[in-house]
Amino acid sequence: MKTSLAFAACLATALVAGSASAQQYKLGAYAGLSSGVEGGSNGSFGLRRARTMLRLGADAHVDEFPSEIFGVYGVAEIEPHASVGLEGRYMHMLGASNVVHVGGIGLLAPYTLFGANAGFAHRFNFSKSIGLEAGPVFQVFFIGSDLPDNE
């Protein structure tokens, strides 16, 4: 009798208990256009307009850690050369509107260029799902066939 009561109690608990929710990934789309000023080449330091790049990709974070964001982007260099590649970033939100990031970038065709980047951005949120980011990004390209000549 005791065994059947215990079994009935366990069965009732299992049927009444709600399902446990696991971590959920939150995804977001990203589109960006960047340019600016770059300096330096093999042994000299001179300023010129930086590469103009278009980034399209996705960001993701786990709902339990919304300030830790990972992004993967396709990169298209528009000028001074036309090239395509990939970029990966780790971002950390500093409050509701500021973000810092570090990452790696690689241009793969028709020339190669690999480097790292870091930056800070302020987000201007237009709605819960749409915003504009503005801020400096520092990129260092250290290997590849498209490094600037010594001018």
Side-chain angles (χ1 to χ4, degrees):
M1 182 65 138
K2 288 183 184 180
T3 305
S4 56
L5 287 176
F7 179 73
C10 288
L11 184 61
T13 303
L15 293 175
V16 173
S19 63
S21 63
Q23 295 176 339
Q24 293 182 348
Y25 288 99
K26 303 292 184 175
L27 299 176
Y30 179 91
L33 183 65
S34 65
S35 189
V37 177
E38 72 178 18
S41 60
N42 299 330
S44 68
F45 186 80
L47 293 177
R48 61 186 164 271
R49 192 173 55 171
R51 300 167 181 269
T52 302
M53 293 189 180
L54 174 66
R55 285 173 179 79
L56 299 172
D59 297 334
H61 70 272
V62 178
D63 60 351
E64 291 182 17
F65 305 104
S67 63
E68 310 298 323
I69 306 166
F70 296 91
V72 178
Y73 314 104
V75 178
E77 182 183 35
I78 300 168
E79 62 174 355
H81 306 289
S83 58
V84 295
L86 295 171
E87 179 178 358
R89 285 185 181 176
Y90 164 74
M91 295 165 274
H92 180 77
M93 293 296 297
L94 303 172
S97 299
N98 296 311
V99 62
V100 293
H101 70 82
V102 295
I105 184 170
L107 298 174
L108 307 172
Y111 304 101
T112 59
L113 195 59
F114 298 97
N117 58 34
F120 170 84
H122 180 78
R123 290 184 175 176
F124 301 93
N125 295 317
F126 300 127
S127 71
K128 187 175 180 178
S129 59
I130 297 175
L132 174 68
E133 247 181 34
V137 175
F138 301 95
Q139 295 187 132
V140 178
F141 293 105
F142 45 82
I143 190 169
S145 63
D146 199 19
L147 288 173
D149 295 334
N150 188 7
E151 299 171 348

